[in-house]
Short mmCIF file of all heavy atoms in Angstrom, two decimals:
data_model
loop_
_atom_site.label_atom_id
_atom_site.label_comp_id
_atom_site.label_asym_id
_atom_site.label_seq_id
_atom_site.Cartn_x
_atom_site.Cartn_y
_atom_site.Cartn_z
N GLY U 94 -174.56 -0.16 -51.25
CA GLY U 94 -173.86 1.12 -51.34
C GLY U 94 -174.20 1.82 -52.66
O GLY U 94 -174.56 1.18 -53.66
N LEU U 95 -174.09 3.14 -52.65
CA LEU U 95 -174.44 3.94 -53.84
C LEU U 95 -173.34 3.85 -54.90
O LEU U 95 -172.14 3.84 -54.55
CB LEU U 95 -174.66 5.40 -53.44
CG LEU U 95 -175.70 5.63 -52.34
CD1 LEU U 95 -175.85 7.13 -52.06
CD2 LEU U 95 -177.04 5.02 -52.69
N VAL U 96 -173.75 3.74 -56.13
CA VAL U 96 -172.83 3.64 -57.27
C VAL U 96 -173.11 4.85 -58.17
O VAL U 96 -174.08 4.85 -58.91
CB VAL U 96 -173.04 2.31 -58.03
CG1 VAL U 96 -172.02 2.19 -59.17
CG2 VAL U 96 -172.94 1.11 -57.11
N ASP U 97 -172.23 5.82 -58.13
CA ASP U 97 -172.40 7.08 -58.87
C ASP U 97 -171.64 6.96 -60.18
O ASP U 97 -170.42 6.89 -60.20
CB ASP U 97 -171.88 8.25 -58.01
CG ASP U 97 -172.23 9.62 -58.60
OD1 ASP U 97 -172.19 9.75 -59.82
OD2 ASP U 97 -172.54 10.52 -57.82
N MET U 100 -169.06 11.38 -62.19
CA MET U 100 -168.59 12.45 -61.32
C MET U 100 -167.14 12.77 -61.68
O MET U 100 -166.52 12.10 -62.50
CB MET U 100 -168.73 12.10 -59.85
CG MET U 100 -167.97 10.88 -59.40
SD MET U 100 -167.73 10.75 -57.61
CE MET U 100 -169.34 11.07 -56.96
N LEU U 252 -167.11 10.99 -50.24
CA LEU U 252 -167.85 9.88 -50.83
C LEU U 252 -168.31 8.91 -49.74
O LEU U 252 -169.43 8.44 -49.75
CB LEU U 252 -166.99 9.14 -51.84
CG LEU U 252 -166.62 9.88 -53.13
CD1 LEU U 252 -165.93 8.94 -54.09
CD2 LEU U 252 -167.81 10.52 -53.78
N ARG U 253 -167.40 8.55 -48.81
CA ARG U 253 -167.84 7.59 -47.81
C ARG U 253 -168.86 8.17 -46.86
O ARG U 253 -169.74 7.44 -46.35
CB ARG U 253 -166.65 6.99 -47.06
CG ARG U 253 -165.69 7.95 -46.39
CD ARG U 253 -164.51 7.18 -45.75
NE ARG U 253 -163.58 8.06 -45.11
CZ ARG U 253 -162.42 8.47 -45.65
NH1 ARG U 253 -162.08 8.05 -46.86
NH2 ARG U 253 -161.61 9.26 -45.01
N GLU U 255 -171.18 10.19 -47.84
CA GLU U 255 -172.41 10.18 -48.64
C GLU U 255 -172.92 8.75 -48.85
O GLU U 255 -174.03 8.57 -49.33
CB GLU U 255 -172.20 10.89 -49.96
CG GLU U 255 -172.24 12.37 -49.92
CD GLU U 255 -173.62 12.91 -49.71
OE1 GLU U 255 -174.56 12.50 -50.43
OE2 GLU U 255 -173.81 13.77 -48.82
N GLY U 256 -172.12 7.75 -48.56
CA GLY U 256 -172.51 6.38 -48.81
C GLY U 256 -172.21 5.89 -50.22
O GLY U 256 -172.76 4.89 -50.67
N VAL U 257 -171.30 6.58 -50.92
CA VAL U 257 -170.89 6.17 -52.26
C VAL U 257 -169.77 5.15 -52.13
O VAL U 257 -168.69 5.47 -51.69
CB VAL U 257 -170.43 7.39 -53.10
CG1 VAL U 257 -169.95 6.93 -54.48
CG2 VAL U 257 -171.57 8.38 -53.24
N THR U 258 -170.03 3.92 -52.55
CA THR U 258 -169.05 2.86 -52.45
C THR U 258 -168.35 2.54 -53.79
O THR U 258 -167.37 1.84 -53.82
CB THR U 258 -169.71 1.59 -51.91
OG1 THR U 258 -170.84 1.22 -52.73
CG2 THR U 258 -170.20 1.80 -50.47
N SER U 259 -168.93 3.07 -54.88
CA SER U 259 -168.30 2.94 -56.20
C SER U 259 -168.60 4.20 -56.97
O SER U 259 -169.68 4.79 -56.86
CB SER U 259 -168.85 1.74 -56.97
OG SER U 259 -168.53 0.53 -56.36
N PHE U 260 -167.63 4.65 -57.80
CA PHE U 260 -167.83 5.85 -58.58
C PHE U 260 -167.19 5.67 -59.94
O PHE U 260 -166.27 4.87 -60.13
CB PHE U 260 -167.19 7.05 -57.87
CG PHE U 260 -165.66 6.99 -57.77
CD1 PHE U 260 -164.86 7.49 -58.79
CD2 PHE U 260 -165.05 6.41 -56.66
CE1 PHE U 260 -163.48 7.42 -58.68
CE2 PHE U 260 -163.68 6.32 -56.56
CZ PHE U 260 -162.87 6.83 -57.59
N THR U 283 -161.21 3.97 -50.54
CA THR U 283 -162.40 3.53 -49.81
C THR U 283 -163.65 3.47 -50.69
O THR U 283 -164.76 3.41 -50.21
CB THR U 283 -162.66 4.44 -48.62
OG1 THR U 283 -162.75 5.79 -49.07
CG2 THR U 283 -161.57 4.31 -47.58
N ALA U 284 -163.47 3.52 -52.00
CA ALA U 284 -164.55 3.30 -52.97
C ALA U 284 -163.96 2.69 -54.22
O ALA U 284 -162.79 2.93 -54.55
CB ALA U 284 -165.25 4.62 -53.28
N LEU U 502 -172.22 17.62 -53.77
CA LEU U 502 -172.51 16.18 -53.74
C LEU U 502 -173.62 15.92 -52.71
O LEU U 502 -173.37 15.92 -51.52
CB LEU U 502 -171.24 15.38 -53.39
CG LEU U 502 -171.42 13.87 -53.49
CD1 LEU U 502 -171.73 13.43 -54.91
CD2 LEU U 502 -170.14 13.17 -53.00
N GLU U 504 -176.48 13.14 -52.88
CA GLU U 504 -177.15 12.10 -53.63
C GLU U 504 -178.65 12.00 -53.29
O GLU U 504 -179.49 11.70 -54.16
CB GLU U 504 -176.48 10.74 -53.36
CG GLU U 504 -174.96 10.74 -53.55
CD GLU U 504 -174.51 10.81 -54.98
OE1 GLU U 504 -175.22 11.43 -55.81
OE2 GLU U 504 -173.46 10.24 -55.32
N ILE U 576 -174.74 0.29 -47.03
CA ILE U 576 -174.86 1.49 -46.18
C ILE U 576 -176.05 1.35 -45.25
O ILE U 576 -177.02 0.63 -45.56
CB ILE U 576 -175.00 2.78 -47.03
CG1 ILE U 576 -176.18 2.71 -47.97
CG2 ILE U 576 -173.70 3.03 -47.78
CD1 ILE U 576 -176.43 4.01 -48.76
N THR U 598 -171.03 3.28 -43.65
CA THR U 598 -170.66 2.85 -45.00
C THR U 598 -169.68 1.69 -44.88
O THR U 598 -168.66 1.78 -44.17
CB THR U 598 -170.02 3.99 -45.79
OG1 THR U 598 -170.92 5.09 -45.87
CG2 THR U 598 -169.66 3.56 -47.20
N VAL U 600 -167.45 -1.13 -47.30
CA VAL U 600 -166.96 -1.47 -48.63
C VAL U 600 -166.16 -2.77 -48.52
O VAL U 600 -165.19 -2.86 -47.78
CB VAL U 600 -166.04 -0.36 -49.19
CG1 VAL U 600 -165.55 -0.77 -50.58
CG2 VAL U 600 -166.79 0.96 -49.25
#
Side-chain angles (χ1 to χ4, degrees):
L95 305 182
V96 183
D97 191 320
M100 60 162 48
L252 294 188
R253 55 183 179 261
E255 280 287 311
V257 177
T258 56
S259 295
F260 66 89
T283 55
L502 186 63
E504 309 288 31
I576 57 176
T598 302
V600 180

